[in-house]
Amino acid sequence: MKALVLSGGAGTRLRPITHTSAKQLVPVANKAVLFYGLESIAEAGITEVGLVVGDTAAEIQDAVGDGSKFGLQITYIPQERPLGLAHAVLIARDWLGDDDFVMYLGDNFIVGGIRDLVREFTRNRPDAQILLTHVADPRAFGVAELDDAGQVVGLEEKPEHPKSDLALVGVYLFTPAIHEAVRAIKPSWRGELEITHAIQHLIDARADVRCTVIEGYWKDTGNVDDMLEVNRTVLEGLDRRIDGQVDELSETVGRVVVEEGARIVNSRIVGPAVIGSGTVVDNSYIGPFTSVAENCRITDSELEFSIVLRDSSIAGVGRIESSLIGRHAEVTPADHVPSAHRFVLGDHSKVQIHP
């Protein structure tokens, strides 16, 4: 079995971060989201990976290399434009050959990996197997309709009126039967070749299409809120480790990781939190569910439930929370600007003004 990993999307929902960086390389607990997927693939016993890349190909190649650090053999497959998931299968046809494969979206995060799913597919070998999960708003996803026996009878892509709350998770398993299906479909109203349409083609042809409804944790890390939530989930599994320097005026509480080369000076770190190598935290507070990447400087500030990417600085800005701060960013206080309030108040009014 091979793996086809998709890393060519534009990441519009994570802008402005993705104006200058691949969305699959935004870190969760100081490790790129894409790396978690590659590790899951390796853990499932798959070694041959085709990595579909687009405009950010150079950055992803620089980060992933030949795949050897993950125990994988990586082949890069260029995609000129992100024209749909089925299009990625289409352009990877020669590399996939007649092998079964798992298709994995590079910005998805699944707790527990895919090992058991791959074993189940290999044992039963249906034409296609999809992962589903219950979501609050299925209109943002591909949605599956099941019959009373739990069999997949229909799929829709981002429907206005969903027939269920079961969304497709970004992991699919296919036999070579999918190749005829992706050649048979036409672009959707979005101008893309939808994988839901290709799977529907298999269903209509009475192919064996099965589903697994997962109850565990899954996130599409396509926006800032989801990134912060995944970061929180990963940090909850931290083991305490202090490899850097923490002076006697500082305190670390709970599951805190201070990487080698980091320095904590007159500060308080409350876990779960991770401080990257080369980072200095001085006279500051770092609260729970916060990841600070390498070579940052946090001074006279408070930071909680946030992600700070490498080589950034935050100085003297009071409290920051629920934030995603990009690479080489600088956050400092603004100069004081005189201000005034103008009122027209009725009789017996009471006004509270924040200083």
Side-chain angles (χ1 to χ4, degrees), residues 71-130:
L72 302 172
Q73 302 169 17
I74 301 289
T75 298
Y76 291 95
I77 302 171
Q79 185 181 35
E80 291 185 7
R81 288 187 295 153
L83 295 176
L85 305 187
H87 180 261
V89 175
L90 195 65
I91 65 172
R93 178 68 177 93
D94 289 343
W95 179 81
L96 289 167
D98 292 325
D99 293 312
D100 296 346
F101 65 99
V102 56
M103 184 168 73
Y104 197 114
L105 306 193
D107 59 351
N108 274 224
F109 185 88
I110 301 175
V111 170
I114 61 171
R115 179 174 52 189
D116 291 343
L117 179 71
V118 169
R119 286 176 178 173
E120 178 186 353
F121 178 82
T122 302
R123 182 171 60 250
N124 299 317
R125 203 165 179 268
D127 294 301
Q129 186 163 346
I130 59 176

Side-chain angles (χ1 to χ4, degrees), residues 39-353:
E39 289 170 354
S40 292
I41 289 166
E43 184 186 17
I46 299 170
T47 57
E48 294 183 76
V49 175
L51 198 54
V52 178
V53 292
D55 291 343
T56 58
E59 184 183 11
I60 289 175
Q61 287 185 247
D62 184 59
V64 176
D66 63 2
S68 57
K69 63 184 176 183
F70 304 100
L72 302 172
Q73 302 169 17
I74 301 289
T75 298
Y76 291 95
I77 302 171
Q79 185 181 35
E80 291 185 7
R81 288 187 295 153
L83 295 176
L85 305 187
H87 180 261
V89 175
L90 195 65
I91 65 172
R93 178 68 177 93
D94 289 343
W95 179 81
L96 289 167
D98 292 325
D99 293 312
D100 296 346
F101 65 99
V102 56
M103 184 168 73
Y104 197 114
L105 306 193
D107 59 351
N108 274 224
F109 185 88
I110 301 175
V111 170
I114 61 171
R115 179 174 52 189
D116 291 343
L117 179 71
V118 169
R119 286 176 178 173
E120 178 186 353
F121 178 82
T122 302
R123 182 171 60 250
N124 299 317
R125 203 165 179 268
D127 294 301
Q129 186 163 346
I130 59 176
L131 265 67
L132 305 173
T133 192
H134 296 280
V135 296
D137 185 5
R139 293 174 300 175
F141 304 95
V143 176
E145 180 185 2
L146 308 185
D147 63 16
D148 293 339
Q151 297 298 309
V152 184
V153 295
L155 298 174
E156 294 181 281
E157 187 64 33
K158 297 180 174 62
E160 183 63 30
H161 303 288
K163 295 178 180 178
S164 80
D165 66 347
L166 288 169
L168 277 79
V169 174
V171 177
Y172 310 78
L173 295 109
F174 296 116
T175 67
I178 193 63
H179 296 303
E180 187 277 330
V182 299
R183 288 195 301 269
I185 62 174
K186 303 297 182 184
S188 67
W189 62 270
R190 301 193 302 167
E192 297 186 2
L193 291 175
E194 310 285 1
I195 198 65
T196 47
H197 292 178
I199 300 171
Q200 185 66 53
H201 181 87
L202 291 176
I203 295 170
D204 295 341
R206 299 189 181 279
D208 186 4
V209 177
R210 303 187 187 184
C211 66
T212 300
V213 180
I214 62 172
E215 303 297 337
Y217 187 86
W218 164 78
K219 276 289 185 184
D220 168 8
T221 60
N223 60 50
V224 173
D225 288 342
D226 286 341
M227 287 294 305
L228 294 174
E229 179 63 19
V230 171
N231 193 60
R232 180 193 65 79
T233 300
V234 176
L235 290 177
E236 284 181 337
L238 279 183
D239 293 323
R240 180 179 172 86
R241 177 166 52 86
I242 308 296
D243 294 333
Q245 301 176 24
V246 180
D247 72 5
E248 65 275 9
L249 297 177
S250 297
E251 180 183 20
T252 59
V253 180
R255 290 165 293 170
V256 173
V257 172
V258 180
E259 299 284 2
E260 184 176 358
R263 291 193 298 119
I264 313 300
V265 180
N266 190 31
S267 297
R268 189 167 191 259
I269 316 294
V270 177
V274 57
I275 309 300
S277 62
T279 287
V280 177
V281 179
D282 187 2
N283 195 38
S284 294
Y285 166 78
I286 306 295
F289 310 121
T290 301
S291 299
V292 182
E294 64 271 20
N295 301 320
C296 294
R297 188 171 187 94
I298 314 296
T299 307
D300 298 323
S301 300
E302 296 183 5
L303 191 62
E304 189 166 307
F305 192 59
S306 294
I307 299 172
V308 181
L309 276 59
R310 61 179 173 85
D311 300 303
S312 293
S313 65
I314 299 171
V317 295
R319 185 175 180 84
I320 294 175
E321 60 183 28
S322 304
S323 298
L324 174 58
I325 296 172
R327 300 173 298 177
H328 299 278
E330 296 183 10
V331 184
T332 57
D335 294 334
H336 177 70
V337 177
S339 60
H341 303 281
R342 180 175 182 265
F343 301 104
V344 177
L345 299 177
D347 297 345
H348 306 291
S349 296
K350 293 183 180 180
V351 178
Q352 293 181 323
I353 299 174

